Amino acid sequence: MQKLYIIKVGGNIIDNPEALTSFLKDFASLKENKILVHGGGKIATEISKGLGIEAQMVDGRRITDAETLKIVTMVYGGLINKNIVAKLQANNCNAIGLTGADANIMLSSKRPLKNGIDYGFVGDVEKVQPLPLANLISQGIAPVVAPLTHDGKGSMLNTNADTVASELAVALSGSFEVNLIYCFELKGVLRDFEDKDSVISDINPATYEELKSTGVINKGMIPKLDNSFAAINAGVSSVIICQAEALVQLINEKKTLGTKLKA
């Protein structure tokens, strides 16, 4: 099977215009089949604030009421997504911007009450249609996917970008040898957050449990790694968490960088 790289770029890169421009230049230069998944929560929060709507967060997840849904749809599916596509075109990478509603790529259900919390219009992924994406890739087009899905009844749903990336990876693993890469501002998963060079080179399920129990891995990194191990168990070839600047070395130059998750 052909290789496919599904690359999720983190919010801190999206929020920094210089870092984003550099990252997209690197992404455009990749020789392999590729999909880009992006977030953009901080930009959505800033625009919400400007409109007098205060963002509500619980455990790092955004409460998405009707007004917030309008904002994240505009920001994720419009402002960020289309600006990324335009920058990729400027780097000779033929890209197309999509949400989960486009070509019915990703169907979700509205999250039920959880511990008494109503998350609003937040989607939990139910079904992924990989064929439209595979067809685009076969034509040399790089899909750029915003973290928005739909419920099949006419409503968009705000969906975690890490989850979108891992669900796409699993769905496409039947057609490609899929490698899932999470790019952010750090060099990988760190043993000591104060030491930015203390990268843990590989993690398996046993060491993951140990790192969680000792508090080395905590907070927002836990759902990211939970998704990653679920993806590996469902047929994804590899999951790597690395610094955005390492992307070209990792893929084009085949260097060992970041944190690799192993089954």
Side-chain angles (χ1 to χ4, degrees), residues 211-263:
L211 291 165
K212 279 195 296 185
S213 67
T214 56
V216 172
I217 291 175
N218 54 56
K219 298 179 182 176
M221 192 57 74
I222 290 175
K224 189 187 294 286
L225 293 189
D226 285 346
N227 279 336
S228 299
F229 280 113
I232 290 171
N233 292 335
V236 174
S237 294
S238 73
V239 179
I240 296 173
I241 299 169
C242 70
Q243 195 169 32
E245 290 90 331
L247 192 62
V248 169
Q249 291 176 298
L250 186 70
I251 297 177
N252 286 353
E253 299 173 22
K254 311 299 182 192
K255 290 194 176 178
T256 303
L257 297 163
T259 301
K260 185 169 186 177
L261 306 190
K262 300 179 176 180

Side-chain angles (χ1 to χ4, degrees), residues 55-108:
Q56 298 177 65
M57 310 290 284
V58 175
D59 295 332
R61 301 293 172 113
R62 187 181 301 271
I63 303 291
T64 308
D65 59 19
E67 290 305 306
T68 302
L69 180 65
K70 292 177 187 176
I71 290 164
V72 296
T73 301
M74 289 187 288
V75 173
Y76 300 162
L79 180 66
I80 295 173
N81 189 268
K82 300 312 174 190
N83 279 338
I84 286 175
V85 170
K87 285 183 170 66
L88 289 175
Q89 300 293 5
N91 283 287
N92 299 311
C93 173
N94 195 8
I96 185 168
L98 302 167
T99 70
D102 295 296
N104 197 26
I105 291 167
M106 196 168 283
L107 189 70
S108 292

Side-chain angles (χ1 to χ4, degrees), residues 33 40 65 67 80 124-125 131 153 179 181 194 210 237:
N33 298 318
D65 59 19
E67 290 305 306
I80 295 173
D124 292 323
V125 177
L131 188 58
K153 302 169 188 174
N179 300 273
I181 301 176
E194 299 305 317
E210 180 189 333
S237 294

Side-chain angles (χ1 to χ4, degrees), residues 125-249:
V125 177
E126 297 283 346
K127 189 175 181 181
V128 181
Q129 301 272 17
L131 188 58
L133 293 170
N135 287 339
L136 289 167
I137 291 163
S138 72
Q139 296 172 60
I141 299 171
V144 178
V145 184
L148 295 163
T149 58
H150 76 123
D151 65 359
K153 302 169 188 174
S155 288
M156 298 296 289
L157 294 169
N158 184 13
T159 305
N160 179 267
D162 287 348
T163 302
V164 169
S166 64
E167 292 282 356
L168 289 177
V170 170
L172 284 154
S173 63
S175 305
F176 297 91
E177 180 191 320
V178 178
N179 300 273
L180 175 59
I181 301 176
Y182 291 104
C183 287
F184 67 154
E185 68 278 6
L186 301 176
K187 292 181 180 179
V189 180
L190 303 180
R191 191 168 292 280
D192 175 3
F193 193 76
E194 299 305 317
D195 179 0
K196 303 307 181 191
D197 291 320
S198 63
V199 177
I200 304 169
S201 58
D202 55 76
I203 299 174
N204 62 37
T207 56
Y208 178 39
E209 291 305 318
E210 180 189 333
L211 291 165
K212 279 195 296 185
S213 67
T214 56
V216 172
I217 291 175
N218 54 56
K219 298 179 182 176
M221 192 57 74
I222 290 175
K224 189 187 294 286
L225 293 189
D226 285 346
N227 279 336
S228 299
F229 280 113
I232 290 171
N233 292 335
V236 174
S237 294
S238 73
V239 179
I240 296 173
I241 299 169
C242 70
Q243 195 169 32
E245 290 90 331
L247 192 62
V248 169
Q249 291 176 298

Side-chain angles (χ1 to χ4, degrees), residues 38-61:
H38 66 82
K42 288 185 181 176
I43 295 172
T45 298
E46 286 173 14
I47 290 176
S48 292
K49 208 170 188 178
L51 295 171
I53 301 166
E54 202 65 39
Q56 298 177 65
M57 310 290 284
V58 175
D59 295 332
R61 301 293 172 113

Side-chain angles (χ1 to χ4, degrees), residues 105-116:
I105 291 167
M106 196 168 283
L107 189 70
S108 292
S109 59
K110 188 172 176 287
R111 181 171 297 171
L113 285 175
K114 196 172 180 181
N115 299 324

